[in-house]
Amino acid sequence: MRLSLGLAFAATAAVATAQQTFPTKPIRLVVPFPPGGGTDILARVVANKLQSGSGWTVVVENRPGAGGNIGVDVVAKAPADGYNIVMGQTSNLAVNPTLYAKLPYNPLKDLAPVTTIASAPLVLVVSANSPFKTIADIVAAAKAKPSAVTFGSPGNGTVAHLSGELLQRAAGIKLQHIPYKGANQAMTDLVGNQIDLYMSSIPTALAQIKGGKLRAIAVTSTKRVHDLPAVPTVAEAGFKGVEAATWFGFLVPAGTPAPIIQKLNAETNKALKTPEVREKIAAEGAEVLGGTPEEFAALIKSEIARWGVVVKESGAKID
């Protein structure tokens, strides 16, 4: 019995020491989407500040596929030691549980929230030489030729796709949905007039909007976006019920020790409060959030319920 108690005490002491000295090696931050998209941009802004501010080594790893499910599942099944973090967002945490018949992970059971990072509304964009200048132009064209106007999104069941579905319902039109595997190819096709419209996260599209390659038609927020002050909201354009945003946050595998989660939370929130990070995130058209693990958990739970209704009403389903 003494030996057993001694071994148990030694094991507990070893865990406590590991938690106090964390981290002692590089931390992997998995981005479940390709490089260059909104999730990737924001993840790298925070990762860079974590490195410079805390001295930690944070390695960003892109693991795209299956609407973000592959990257999230990689972390959900990784060791629960704090060295594996995923940049989750609305689609893979709140939409996919209803969209996919067989999701390889349960966001409420297999992952532990660390903190929210940011939130960004979506923006409806067209190429700079598109004849569409307003939502009214799009609605008129779609009513004249149903399903002739093409609408791209970064994938089936993404917040962008579902926001497009909400717009179609609000306007009483039918667009032809073209799902892509991420934002990069969609942006190329939009600029090249291969598709007519694209619903994008603002961080993904902002540079090309400001560079004159894309024209912003409307944003899905309840108020105008600071970096796009001339762009109306969808509601201002006359169509209610299309408010939507993509939120982003850090999660680790379930079972990660609470002291490690708290340490990750504290350092991430410290990074988010710096003027440098706030300015960079604002420059991408997003709003810094931050907060506690408990607040993030409550957000995920409420958003699963909200988007579950939208998914079911849209009829979207992936086996």
Side-chain angles (χ1 to χ4, degrees):
M1 180 179 289
R2 289 177 181 175
L3 178 61
S4 297
L5 290 173
L7 290 173
F9 177 80
T12 301
V15 171
T17 300
Q19 292 171 5
Q20 291 171 1
T21 59
F22 174 89
T24 58
K25 62 181 182 179
I27 296 171
R28 178 176 65 160
L29 173 55
V30 173
V31 175
F33 294 99
T39 307
D40 181 70
I41 292 169
L42 296 178
R44 291 178 187 275
V45 167
V46 179
N48 290 339
K49 189 58 183 178
L50 277 175
Q51 291 200 129
S52 64
S54 67
W56 298 354
T57 299
V58 182
V59 181
V60 177
E61 179 181 320
N62 295 90
R63 294 293 292 269
N69 292 348
I70 291 175
V72 176
D73 192 46
V74 164
V75 171
K77 292 180 170 58
D81 54 11
Y83 292 98
N84 296 278
I85 304 174
V86 65
M87 178 69 147
Q89 46 101 292
T90 313
S91 292
N92 46 52
L93 297 177
V95 174
N96 289 359
T98 305
L99 178 69
Y100 283 78
K102 296 180 180 179
L103 199 64
Y105 58 88
N106 183 320
L108 297 177
K109 295 181 179 179
D110 299 332
L111 294 162
V114 174
T115 185
T116 49
I117 298 296
S119 176
L122 304 170
V123 58
L124 181 63
V125 288
V126 298
S127 67
N129 57 6
S130 169
F132 302 136
K133 292 181 171 59
T134 65
I135 290 183
D137 294 338
I138 296 167
V139 171
K143 287 188 174 180
K145 293 183 179 180
S147 298
V149 178
T150 53
F151 148 60
S153 80
N156 276 316
T158 58
V159 174
H161 168 210
L162 295 175
S163 297
E165 294 291 334
L166 289 175
L167 175 60
Q168 291 177 74
R169 289 192 175 201
I173 58 175
K174 181 64 179 175
L175 306 172
Q176 182 183 349
H177 178 225
I178 310 294
Y180 286 82
K181 294 181 179 179
N184 285 349
Q185 186 57 50
M187 286 295 186
T188 299
D189 285 358
L190 182 65
V191 172
N193 296 301
Q194 301 301 308
I195 56 175
D196 298 311
L197 317 170
Y198 185 69
M199 188 72 82
S200 172
S201 70
I202 290 181
T204 300
L206 192 59
Q208 297 203 59
I209 294 170
K210 291 187 173 182
K213 292 185 177 180
L214 297 178
R215 178 188 302 133
I217 299 294
V219 292
T220 63
S221 48
T222 56
K223 59 183 179 181
R224 295 197 182 196
V225 175
H226 178 268
D227 281 315
L228 298 170
V231 181
T233 66
V234 177
E236 285 179 314
F239 303 97
K240 308 291 186 181
V242 193
E243 291 80 15
T246 297
W247 42 260
F248 310 83
F250 284 172
L251 303 98
V252 291
T256 299
I260 289 180
I261 291 177
Q262 290 299 332
K263 196 167 188 179
L264 290 169
N265 174 275
E267 288 296 335
T268 304
N269 274 288
K270 186 191 300 183
L272 292 173
K273 291 176 181 177
T274 61
E276 175 188 354
V277 169
R278 298 185 79 85
E279 288 171 10
K280 287 183 177 179
I281 289 179
E284 297 296 337
E287 177 186 2
V288 171
L289 295 178
T292 67
E294 293 76 19
E295 288 168 339
F296 191 14
L299 173 67
I300 295 170
K301 187 174 182 180
S302 65
E303 287 284 272
I304 287 175
R306 178 196 176 206
W307 286 107
V309 172
V310 178
V311 171
K312 290 175 182 176
E313 289 181 348
S314 74
K317 200 71 180 175
I318 298 177
D319 294 326

